[in-house]
Amino acid sequence: MTAQSPAPAAAPVATGTPSDVRPRGLAAGVQLTGPTNAPICNIANRPGDRFVVALGQTVTGADGVALPAGTPVLVELAQAPAEGDFAFRLRGVQIEGQFVPADGTVRISEGPITERRVSKGGSDQGKVIAGAVIGGLLGRVIGGGTRGAVIGAAGGAAAGTVAAARNTTTERCLAAGAILSTPLTAPLVFP
């Protein structure tokens, strides 16, 4: 009699169905916070411009999945007002080299908004000087002498000053490194 070889072992059979597999990710409400990588200004930037925020600390989900500190988070400028607050939207997160869309409303957690007056174009000093020169020439011609030239120059300089003031606007900026924060408004599913 010959010895029989043992029957081959059966391959293990998966007992779960694909619907039983839960995706890895972060739940709605999880907070993503970090500093901006560039200054954001209402004149230089427009709604739709995008900025990277580096996640400030590791964020871990209930299933143990984590986004490490430094993870790039993409935010979009929604509004860059001359007055009031900047508004941003969360666009996505880079996870394991892939861009994953995400939803959330971003707010400024830390970082002052600075304001400064800027010219819309041309030199303000040049407007004042040009106004004084033109006024002086007109005053001399119309007034007929030095007194008319002085009065015309003063009036022209005043007109140049008004023109320069009308030609300025307020630039509002959020400094690079300002802290932006957003709670996820929908789950963030990892790839």
Side-chain angles (χ1 to χ4, degrees), residues 105-180:
T105 301
V106 181
R107 65 181 173 77
I108 301 168
S109 294
E110 291 179 34
I113 294 176
T114 59
E115 293 185 357
R116 68 183 182 113
R117 299 291 291 172
V118 295
S119 175
K120 293 179 186 174
S123 164
D124 292 343
Q125 182 181 7
K127 289 178 180 70
V128 174
I129 292 170
V133 169
I134 292 169
L137 291 173
L138 288 175
R140 185 169 188 100
V141 170
I142 295 170
T146 304
R147 180 179 162 99
V150 170
I151 292 171
T161 301
V162 169
R166 287 185 183 159
N167 195 40
T168 61
T169 189
T170 300
E171 180 178 50
R172 304 180 76 239
C173 292
L174 184 61
I179 306 298
L180 300 183

Side-chain angles (χ1 to χ4, degrees), residues 13 19 25 31 33 79-80 84 89 109-110 120 128 152 156 174 189-190:
V13 177
S19 62
Q31 196 80 17
T33 302
Q79 180 180 353
R89 288 184 281 270
S109 294
E110 291 179 34
K120 293 179 186 174
V128 174
L174 184 61
V189 179
F190 282 44

